[in-house]
Amino acid sequence: MTDQYPNYPPPGGPPPQQPYYGGVPNYGPPPDNNLVWAILCTVLCCLPLGIVAIVKSSQVQTLWAQGFHAEAQKAADDAKKWSMWGAIATGVLFLLYIVFVVVAVILGVSGSLTP
């Protein structure tokens, strides 16, 4: 009867599985959550992007403990990405501010020299 229907399970259900006593498989240490960079970005650079980075970095340990290793790595990478973008945005704004001050000083000095 089993030869006639090869795609169906055998009568009586599938064979019993051996119990797994090995515990949690070792996937190594969890990825770096980049929490320090996220906090520094929040305090010193860009508050909105830093908050997103803190949220992403706080998800790393939880996802890793639940066994979602790829998602934990993605959350760690996202935390690093948001921290980096916060620092870059602050650097760009700082450079624009410097350019604005220099242009304002030049225009102010040139305006005071003309009678």
Side-chain angles (χ1 to χ4, degrees):
M1 182 168 184
T2 58
D3 295 326
Q4 188 177 5
Y5 304 105
N7 294 333
Y8 292 105
Q17 298 291 324
Q18 293 292 327
Y20 180 68
Y21 295 111
V24 177
N26 186 8
Y27 289 105
D32 182 23
N33 60 5
N34 300 302
L35 183 61
V36 173
W37 294 113
I39 291 173
L40 287 175
C41 177
T42 304
V43 174
L44 300 176
C45 296
C46 184
L47 184 67
L49 298 180
I51 290 173
V52 174
I54 288 176
V55 169
K56 292 291 184 181
S57 67
S58 67
Q59 294 174 349
V60 172
Q61 289 296 90
T62 305
L63 290 169
W64 190 266
Q66 292 174 347
F68 300 115
H69 304 291
E71 289 84 357
Q73 183 64 49
K74 183 176 179 339
D77 294 341
D78 286 347
K80 184 177 181 180
K81 176 183 70 173
W82 285 103
S83 298
M84 188 182 343
W85 279 109
I88 290 170
T90 301
V92 167
L93 289 175
F94 185 69
L95 282 173
L96 288 174
Y97 178 73
I98 296 283
V99 168
F100 174 75
V101 168
V102 168
V103 168
V105 167
I106 290 173
L107 290 177
V109 169
S110 68
S112 66
L113 293 178
T114 58

